[in-house]
Amino acid sequence: MATREEVVTGLAEILEEVAGVNPDDVSEEKSFTEDLDVDSLSMVEVVVAAEEKFGAKIPDDEVQNLKTVGDAVSFIVANS
Amino acid sequence: MSANGSKILAFGHYQPSRVVTNDDLAQMVDTNDEWIQSRVGIKERRIADTETVADMAGFAAEKALAASGLTAADIDLVIVATCSSIDRSPNVACRVADKLGVAGAAAFDLNTACSGFSYALANADHAIRAGAAKHALVIGAEKLSQITDWSDRSTCVIFADGAGAAVVSATAEGEEPGVGPVVWGSEPSDAIAIEGWQPYIVQEGQKVFRWATGTAPQVALAACEKAGVAPGDLGGFVPHQANLRIIEPLARKIGVDPAVLSRDIIESGNTSAASIPLALSKMIERGEVKSGSPVLLVGFGGGLTYAGQVVRCP
Ligand SMILES: CC(C)(COP(=O)(O)OP(=O)(O)OC[C@H]1O[C@@H](n2cnc3c(N)ncnc32)[C@H](O)[C@@H]1OP(=O)(O)O)[C@@H](O)C(=O)NCCC(=O)NCCS
């Protein structure tokens, strides 16, 4: 099972590929939309890529609750 | 006589002359050019005035037929992929046959929404392989503007009108097939609905986006594998022109050279079953795809349905 740090690093890689986010800017307290400029469609791409990378199932209804990188890390760690 | 395969001889397309820009749409609904370009990638689209689905299908088919070197008398199968035709009988295929002077051909319409052209092409290929046809007209044609709610900004900024057609013929003995094995299927859902009497397209955008983002790469890779072609060797990649935000990541994900990706959505919008033959016909016309090079087609959309195959560029 992945640790929180591993998931943050993995998400940073995904964010760089999907939305051109600088990996150094990615940390748990950052908001996807406010701080990292990830729009709703990029967020869906991040979710699809994260499911593949971490083997977690992230339901449609859950996506809106993932406001910060930390929210996503917690969900992935608990569900993969 | 059955054949060992089929190949595409020529493409043709038709687009209505009326251009509708994003600024035009901003006069009708609460939207703007920046949002549409950044979320969908469309700059402008073509909207039909008096042309029907059958008119547009006929114009595209006429051009494909003229470019193929065959005549109407050679055609023994007409398939029209459409989800927006209002007239049910005669079906669009019979109307096109009548316009072109095609007599006696098997003629049917097929509805799998945005994946329609790839389904229709597979049907034609299978019919030719089975010996049930020799020369087919395979057409995608849509007048989505007549089933669009022009007060719904979540759909009216996306959909448009147009047609594309291909002439598909049996390969000669010993000749390599030019239409690769199809990968097709469905995942029933009402995320894109065109339901009831006098319907409008109703779409759950995020749901469709997520499904397409996850499914299209798998279909694309499977179609390449079945055809024995590496994605990096493709001379053209023509996914259904749904959203630039779907097709650009798709190309990146499967490892296709971005230079061979069709981005016709920018100037044509999403024309459902028409988008693939329309986009490829325009690429060929501009000399962007070399004759004989492998081109990957991937359709996905309402149903939800999907289909893809690799074809040799005529
Ligand atoms: C339709 C689609 C572009 C919508 O994008 P989206 O990011 O899901 O849009 P949302 O509905 O979540 O809206 C995001 C924001 O844009 C706004 N918005 C929606 N449509 C808008 C429009 N036409 N103009 C301006 N703003 C719009 C919303 O109100 C929302 O604003 P908010 O964040 O302030 O609340 C996208 O979902 C999509 O392309 N899906 C796939 C559809 C498809 O390809 N269909 C064809 C199938 S083959």
Side-chain angles (χ1 to χ4, degrees), chain A residues 17-18 39-42 44-45 47-48 51-52 57-60 63, chain B residues 38-40 205-207 209-211 213-214 218 243 245 249 252-253:
Chain A
E17 176 167 337
V18 164
D39 74 13
S40 51
L41 296 183
S42 292
V44 175
E45 278 190 75
V47 165
V48 170
E51 283 193 337
E52 283 170 17
K57 183 93 201 78
I58 309 174
D60 281 340
V63 177
Chain B
S38 67
R39 298 293 175 121
V40 196
Q206 292 264 338
K207 224 183 196 164
F209 186 88
R210 179 168 180 175
W211 172 77
T213 299
Q218 297 171 32
N243 185 330
R245 298 281 300 272
R252 189 181 66 221
K253 199 161 178 191

Side-chain angles (χ1 to χ4, degrees), chain A residues 40-41, chain B residues 30-31 35 39-40 114 153-154 157-158 192 203 205-206 208-209 240 242-243 246 270 300-301:
Chain A
S40 51
L41 296 183
Chain B
D30 179 15
T31 189
W35 191 93
R39 298 293 175 121
V40 196
C114 307
R153 70 173 183 175
S154 75
V157 303
I158 298 173
I192 305 174
Q203 167 171 276
Q206 292 264 338
V208 177
F209 186 88
H240 164 50
N243 185 330
I246 294 175
N270 176 340
F300 49 86

Side-chain angles (χ1 to χ4, degrees), chain B residues 153-184:
Chain B
R153 70 173 183 175
S154 75
T155 53
C156 77
V157 303
I158 298 173
F159 298 111
D161 305 334
V167 175
V168 184
S169 290
T171 47
E173 222 181 284
E175 191 183 358
E176 214 159 287
V179 176
V182 70
V183 172
W184 57 5

